């Protein structure tokens, strides 16, 4: 049994929807928990979201807590944007297997590379800020539990996507030149 590209794209579309919804739920939970903890502080941040214990940070300084949680929200928003763009390009049928080098796909790849770069930058910022807070004596949760780990991997992905985007851009230029020649 051979699986066609169309079937793979359909499966990836479904998977992208599942991941997108999951990331949106996490983003909403981050926003809700940050506001809830800053305004009423009923349980002190012991269980911020998905195992991230930010209670020590909240007890140390509310401003630092707000900075870390805002950075976590920004990373989560960029991740959800990645999957939104994937869903959008697959839903709008912008991927043409007969002529894959088109401006829409090129723009899509550039957007993914910039979002990946932003995720890497903000994740790195959280890591550096957490390390700095750790030196001040604040017990910080792991980057993994805050879902901001792997800044270097995101930069690596951004560079790869940027190169692929430029290859697509050059492919469009060659395709346009060939169409003009005929």
């Amino acid at each position: 049994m051979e699986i066609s590209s169309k079937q793979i794209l359909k499966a990836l579309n479904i998977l992208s929807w599942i991941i997108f919804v999951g990331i949106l739920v996490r983003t909403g939970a981050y926003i809700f928990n940050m506001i809830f903890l800053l305004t009423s502080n009923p349980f002190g941040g012991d269980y911020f979201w998905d195992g991230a214990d930010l209670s020590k940070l909240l007890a140390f300084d509310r401003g630092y807590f707000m900075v870390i949680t805002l950075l976590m929200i920004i990373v989560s928003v960029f991740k959800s944007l990645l999957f939104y763009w994937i869903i959008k390009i697959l839903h709008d049928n912008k991927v043409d297997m007969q002529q894959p080098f088109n401006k829409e796909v090129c723009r899509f790849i550039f957007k993914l590379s910039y979002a990946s770069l932003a995720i890497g930058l903000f994740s790195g910022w959280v890591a550096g800020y957490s390390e700095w807070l750790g030196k001040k004596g604040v017990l910080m949760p792991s980057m993994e539990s805050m879902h901001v780990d792997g800044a270097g991997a995101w930069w690596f992905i951004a560079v790869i996507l940027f190169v692929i985007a430029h290859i697509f851009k050059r492919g469009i230029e060659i395709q346009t030149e060939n169409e003009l020649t005929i």
Side-chain angles (χ1 to χ4, degrees), residues 124-142:
W125 194 0
V126 172
Y129 200 67
S130 291
E131 185 179 323
W132 177 75
L133 286 168
K135 289 178 183 174
K136 289 186 150 295
V138 180
L139 184 62
M140 293 295 294
S142 69

PDB file of all heavy atoms in Angstrom, residues 124-142:
ATOM      1  N   GLY A 124      15.699  31.681  24.659  1.00  0.00           N
ATOM      2  CA  GLY A 124      17.023  31.986  25.182  1.00  0.00           C
ATOM      3  C   GLY A 124      16.977  33.070  26.241  1.00  0.00           C
ATOM      4  O   GLY A 124      17.710  33.025  27.243  1.00  0.00           O
ATOM      5  N   TRP A 125      16.098  34.036  26.034  1.00  0.00           N
ATOM      6  CA  TRP A 125      15.932  35.114  26.998  1.00  0.00           C
ATOM      7  C   TRP A 125      15.410  34.547  28.325  1.00  0.00           C
ATOM      8  O   TRP A 125      15.898  34.905  29.401  1.00  0.00           O
ATOM      9  CB  TRP A 125      14.988  36.158  26.441  1.00  0.00           C
ATOM     10  CG  TRP A 125      14.955  37.476  27.156  1.00  0.00           C
ATOM     11  CD1 TRP A 125      15.686  37.841  28.252  1.00  0.00           C
ATOM     12  CD2 TRP A 125      14.165  38.598  26.819  1.00  0.00           C
ATOM     13  NE1 TRP A 125      15.384  39.126  28.619  1.00  0.00           N
ATOM     14  CE2 TRP A 125      14.449  39.624  27.757  1.00  0.00           C
ATOM     15  CE3 TRP A 125      13.243  38.856  25.825  1.00  0.00           C
ATOM     16  CZ2 TRP A 125      13.830  40.863  27.726  1.00  0.00           C
ATOM     17  CZ3 TRP A 125      12.632  40.109  25.792  1.00  0.00           C
ATOM     18  CH2 TRP A 125      12.927  41.091  26.726  1.00  0.00           C
ATOM     19  N   VAL A 126      14.413  33.654  28.256  1.00  0.00           N
ATOM     20  CA  VAL A 126      13.888  33.026  29.479  1.00  0.00           C
ATOM     21  C   VAL A 126      14.995  32.241  30.181  1.00  0.00           C
ATOM     22  O   VAL A 126      15.133  32.313  31.410  1.00  0.00           O
ATOM     23  CB  VAL A 126      12.690  32.094  29.169  1.00  0.00           C
ATOM     24  CG1 VAL A 126      12.288  31.302  30.400  1.00  0.00           C
ATOM     25  CG2 VAL A 126      11.506  32.885  28.650  1.00  0.00           C
ATOM     26  N   ALA A 127      15.777  31.499  29.414  1.00  0.00           N
ATOM     27  CA  ALA A 127      16.847  30.694  30.003  1.00  0.00           C
ATOM     28  C   ALA A 127      17.867  31.586  30.706  1.00  0.00           C
ATOM     29  O   ALA A 127      18.276  31.301  31.849  1.00  0.00           O
ATOM     30  CB  ALA A 127      17.528  29.851  28.935  1.00  0.00           C
ATOM     31  N   GLY A 128      18.274  32.642  30.046  1.00  0.00           N
ATOM     32  CA  GLY A 128      19.232  33.565  30.656  1.00  0.00           C
ATOM     33  C   GLY A 128      18.670  34.270  31.879  1.00  0.00           C
ATOM     34  O   GLY A 128      19.353  34.420  32.900  1.00  0.00           O
ATOM     35  N   TYR A 129      17.429  34.675  31.779  1.00  0.00           N
ATOM     36  CA  TYR A 129      16.770  35.361  32.896  1.00  0.00           C
ATOM     37  C   TYR A 129      16.604  34.412  34.075  1.00  0.00           C
ATOM     38  O   TYR A 129      16.825  34.796  35.222  1.00  0.00           O
ATOM     39  CB  TYR A 129      15.411  35.887  32.408  1.00  0.00           C
ATOM     40  CG  TYR A 129      14.823  36.999  33.232  1.00  0.00           C
ATOM     41  CD1 TYR A 129      15.425  38.254  33.281  1.00  0.00           C
ATOM     42  CD2 TYR A 129      13.660  36.806  33.951  1.00  0.00           C
ATOM     43  CE1 TYR A 129      14.876  39.280  34.030  1.00  0.00           C
ATOM     44  CE2 TYR A 129      13.101  37.825  34.700  1.00  0.00           C
ATOM     45  CZ  TYR A 129      13.716  39.064  34.735  1.00  0.00           C
ATOM     46  OH  TYR A 129      13.172  40.077  35.476  1.00  0.00           O
ATOM     47  N   SER A 130      16.235  33.165  33.796  1.00  0.00           N
ATOM     48  CA  SER A 130      16.083  32.163  34.859  1.00  0.00           C
ATOM     49  C   SER A 130      17.419  31.870  35.529  1.00  0.00           C
ATOM     50  O   SER A 130      17.496  31.708  36.753  1.00  0.00           O
ATOM     51  CB  SER A 130      15.490  30.872  34.299  1.00  0.00           C
ATOM     52  OG  SER A 130      14.162  31.071  33.916  1.00  0.00           O
ATOM     53  N   GLU A 131      18.459  31.793  34.727  1.00  0.00           N
ATOM     54  CA  GLU A 131      19.798  31.556  35.285  1.00  0.00           C
ATOM     55  C   GLU A 131      20.204  32.722  36.187  1.00  0.00           C
ATOM     56  O   GLU A 131      20.745  32.525  37.275  1.00  0.00           O
ATOM     57  CB  GLU A 131      20.805  31.384  34.145  1.00  0.00           C
ATOM     58  CG  GLU A 131      22.190  31.015  34.606  1.00  0.00           C
ATOM     59  CD  GLU A 131      23.160  30.839  33.435  1.00  0.00           C
ATOM     60  OE1 GLU A 131      22.728  30.329  32.385  1.00  0.00           O
ATOM     61  OE2 GLU A 131      24.332  31.217  33.599  1.00  0.00           O
ATOM     62  N   TRP A 132      19.922  33.933  35.722  1.00  0.00           N
ATOM     63  CA  TRP A 132      20.230  35.129  36.513  1.00  0.00           C
ATOM     64  C   TRP A 132      19.450  35.115  37.823  1.00  0.00           C
ATOM     65  O   TRP A 132      19.996  35.430  38.881  1.00  0.00           O
ATOM     66  CB  TRP A 132      19.904  36.367  35.682  1.00  0.00           C
ATOM     67  CG  TRP A 132      20.106  37.657  36.398  1.00  0.00           C
ATOM     68  CD1 TRP A 132      21.296  38.267  36.686  1.00  0.00           C
ATOM     69  CD2 TRP A 132      19.073  38.500  36.926  1.00  0.00           C
ATOM     70  NE1 TRP A 132      21.071  39.450  37.355  1.00  0.00           N
ATOM     71  CE2 TRP A 132      19.707  39.611  37.516  1.00  0.00           C
ATOM     72  CE3 TRP A 132      17.692  38.431  36.950  1.00  0.00           C
ATOM     73  CZ2 TRP A 132      19.005  40.640  38.128  1.00  0.00           C
ATOM     74  CZ3 TRP A 132      16.990  39.455  37.556  1.00  0.00           C
ATOM     75  CH2 TRP A 132      17.637  40.541  38.139  1.00  0.00           C
ATOM     76  N   LEU A 133      18.164  34.740  37.754  1.00  0.00           N
ATOM     77  CA  LEU A 133      17.354  34.662  38.972  1.00  0.00           C
ATOM     78  C   LEU A 133      17.869  33.561  39.903  1.00  0.00           C
ATOM     79  O   LEU A 133      17.837  33.715  41.127  1.00  0.00           O
ATOM     80  CB  LEU A 133      15.888  34.416  38.619  1.00  0.00           C
ATOM     81  CG  LEU A 133      15.145  35.614  38.033  1.00  0.00           C
ATOM     82  CD1 LEU A 133      13.807  35.186  37.444  1.00  0.00           C
ATOM     83  CD2 LEU A 133      14.950  36.696  39.080  1.00  0.00           C
ATOM     84  N   GLY A 134      18.338  32.454  39.321  1.00  0.00           N
ATOM     85  CA  GLY A 134      18.922  31.383  40.120  1.00  0.00           C
ATOM     86  C   GLY A 134      20.133  31.858  40.891  1.00  0.00           C
ATOM     87  O   GLY A 134      20.355  31.459  42.036  1.00  0.00           O
ATOM     88  N   LYS A 135      20.945  32.721  40.276  1.00  0.00           N
ATOM     89  CA  LYS A 135      22.113  33.283  40.961  1.00  0.00           C
ATOM     90  C   LYS A 135      21.701  34.213  42.097  1.00  0.00           C
ATOM     91  O   LYS A 135      22.472  34.425  43.029  1.00  0.00           O
ATOM     92  CB  LYS A 135      23.002  34.026  39.967  1.00  0.00           C
ATOM     93  CG  LYS A 135      23.728  33.104  39.013  1.00  0.00           C
ATOM     94  CD  LYS A 135      24.558  33.882  38.015  1.00  0.00           C
ATOM     95  CE  LYS A 135      25.223  32.937  37.020  1.00  0.00           C
ATOM     96  NZ  LYS A 135      25.920  33.671  35.960  1.00  0.00           N
ATOM     97  N   LYS A 136      20.502  34.755  42.000  1.00  0.00           N
ATOM     98  CA  LYS A 136      19.978  35.617  43.065  1.00  0.00           C
ATOM     99  C   LYS A 136      19.353  34.792  44.191  1.00  0.00           C
ATOM    100  O   LYS A 136      18.859  35.358  45.159  1.00  0.00           O
ATOM    101  CB  LYS A 136      18.939  36.590  42.505  1.00  0.00           C
ATOM    102  CG  LYS A 136      19.511  37.675  41.643  1.00  0.00           C
ATOM    103  CD  LYS A 136      18.394  38.627  41.291  1.00  0.00           C
ATOM    104  CE  LYS A 136      18.851  40.030  41.084  1.00  0.00           C
ATOM    105  NZ  LYS A 136      19.386  40.760  42.170  1.00  0.00           N
ATOM    106  N   GLY A 137      19.344  33.459  44.024  1.00  0.00           N
ATOM    107  CA  GLY A 137      18.837  32.593  45.077  1.00  0.00           C
ATOM    108  C   GLY A 137      17.406  32.102  44.881  1.00  0.00           C
ATOM    109  O   GLY A 137      16.843  31.479  45.767  1.00  0.00           O
ATOM    110  N   VAL A 138      16.814  32.398  43.735  1.00  0.00           N
ATOM    111  CA  VAL A 138      15.443  31.964  43.471  1.00  0.00           C
ATOM    112  C   VAL A 138      15.482  30.570  42.855  1.00  0.00           C
ATOM    113  O   VAL A 138      16.191  30.339  41.874  1.00  0.00           O
ATOM    114  CB  VAL A 138      14.722  32.933  42.497  1.00  0.00           C
ATOM    115  CG1 VAL A 138      13.304  32.473  42.236  1.00  0.00           C
ATOM    116  CG2 VAL A 138      14.749  34.345  43.035  1.00  0.00           C
ATOM    117  N   LEU A 139      14.741  29.647  43.429  1.00  0.00           N
ATOM    118  CA  LEU A 139      14.649  28.299  42.891  1.00  0.00           C
ATOM    119  C   LEU A 139      13.688  28.313  41.712  1.00  0.00           C
ATOM    120  O   LEU A 139      12.492  28.541  41.881  1.00  0.00           O
ATOM    121  CB  LEU A 139      14.167  27.318  43.967  1.00  0.00           C
ATOM    122  CG  LEU A 139      14.116  25.858  43.551  1.00  0.00           C
ATOM    123  CD1 LEU A 139      15.505  25.357  43.187  1.00  0.00           C
ATOM    124  CD2 LEU A 139      13.533  25.026  44.677  1.00  0.00           C
ATOM    125  N   MET A 140      14.224  28.108  40.516  1.00  0.00           N
ATOM    126  CA  MET A 140      13.428  28.178  39.292  1.00  0.00           C
ATOM    127  C   MET A 140      13.131  26.777  38.774  1.00  0.00           C
ATOM    128  O   MET A 140      13.954  25.877  38.905  1.00  0.00           O
ATOM    129  CB  MET A 140      14.186  28.957  38.206  1.00  0.00           C
ATOM    130  CG  MET A 140      14.380  30.435  38.510  1.00  0.00           C
ATOM    131  SD  MET A 140      12.845  31.346  38.577  1.00  0.00           S
ATOM    132  CE  MET A 140      12.290  31.232  36.895  1.00  0.00           C
ATOM    133  N   PRO A 141      11.958  26.607  38.141  1.00  0.00           N
ATOM    134  CA  PRO A 141      11.650  25.310  37.517  1.00  0.00           C
ATOM    135  C   PRO A 141      12.510  25.117  36.271  1.00  0.00           C
ATOM    136  O   PRO A 141      13.127  26.064  35.770  1.00  0.00           O
ATOM    137  CB  PRO A 141      10.166  25.421  37.165  1.00  0.00           C
ATOM    138  CG  PRO A 141       9.904  26.882  37.061  1.00  0.00           C
ATOM    139  CD  PRO A 141      10.848  27.555  38.000  1.00  0.00           C
ATOM    140  N   SER A 142      12.530  23.909  35.769  1.00  0.00           N
ATOM    141  CA  SER A 142      13.325  23.630  34.570  1.00  0.00           C
ATOM    142  C   SER A 142      12.712  24.312  33.355  1.00  0.00           C
ATOM    143  O   SER A 142      11.518  24.605  33.318  1.00  0.00           O
ATOM    144  CB  SER A 142      13.395  22.119  34.325  1.00  0.00           C
ATOM    145  OG  SER A 142      12.124  21.638  33.940  1.00  0.00           O
TER     146      SER A 142
END
